[in-house]
Amino acid sequence: MLTATCHCGAVRVEVPRRPRSLTNCNCSICRRYGTLWAYYKASEVRVIGARGATNTYSWGDKSLRFVRCSTCGCITHWERINPTEDSRMGVNARNFEPDSLGSIRIRLLDGASTWKYLD
Ligand SMILES: [Zn+2]
């Protein structure tokens, strides 16, 4: 198991294993956040924080929401607003300790236009 934490430690995200790859997306929101996404089934991920520890933001068709720590502002993950049983979610791999991740391939996703990987 690996745990990602925001800067102040108020929010923790537990995942079952190291990701196989990380995604660097150039869409209008991800490029601003500077996030690197590790994808998991939502049912495999545990988000731990007190009530009110997070704020959310969603835009466009409002199918996803981006979640951040309400104290330090770090983006912790995105999740589906109306999840189904096999929904995925994106965990911000910037919040893992670099040593616990090791070296992992980073893939470039053209979320700004084609929604294809550029590698
Ligand atoms: Zn925080």
Side-chain angles (χ1 to χ4, degrees), residues 59-73:
W59 66 292
D61 65 6
K62 306 263 168 92
S63 60
L64 304 179
R65 65 181 156 225
F66 293 85
V67 181
R68 63 182 181 271
C69 173
S70 40
T71 302
C72 68

Side-chain angles (χ1 to χ4, degrees), residues 20-66:
R20 257 186 226 108
S21 65
L22 301 175
T23 293
N24 177 3
C25 174
N26 65 359
C27 83
S28 62
I29 188 78
C30 292
R31 68 181 164 84
R32 286 178 166 87
Y33 283 155
T35 43
L36 276 180
W37 299 116
Y39 301 124
Y40 293 94
K41 279 175 71 171
S43 58
E44 299 180 310
V45 177
R46 225 173 120 216
V47 178
I48 303 150
R51 187 182 293 273
T54 55
N55 292 129
T56 64
Y57 175 69
S58 63
W59 66 292
D61 65 6
K62 306 263 168 92
S63 60
L64 304 179
R65 65 181 156 225
F66 293 85

Side-chain angles (χ1 to χ4, degrees), residues 60-115:
D61 65 6
K62 306 263 168 92
S63 60
L64 304 179
R65 65 181 156 225
F66 293 85
V67 181
R68 63 182 181 271
C69 173
S70 40
T71 302
C72 68
C74 294
I75 303 292
T76 54
H77 62 286
W78 63 253
E79 62 195 9
R80 296 230 157 255
I81 289 174
N82 295 305
T84 57
E85 213 169 283
D86 55 353
S87 285
R88 290 198 313 165
M89 63 187 269
V91 174
N92 184 8
R94 298 278 190 199
N95 296 326
F96 292 115
E97 287 302 321
D99 287 348
S100 69
L101 272 188
S103 112
I104 295 182
R105 179 183 177 203
I106 295 176
R107 304 195 66 192
L108 298 175
L109 177 65
D110 184 22
S113 128
T114 62
W115 278 98

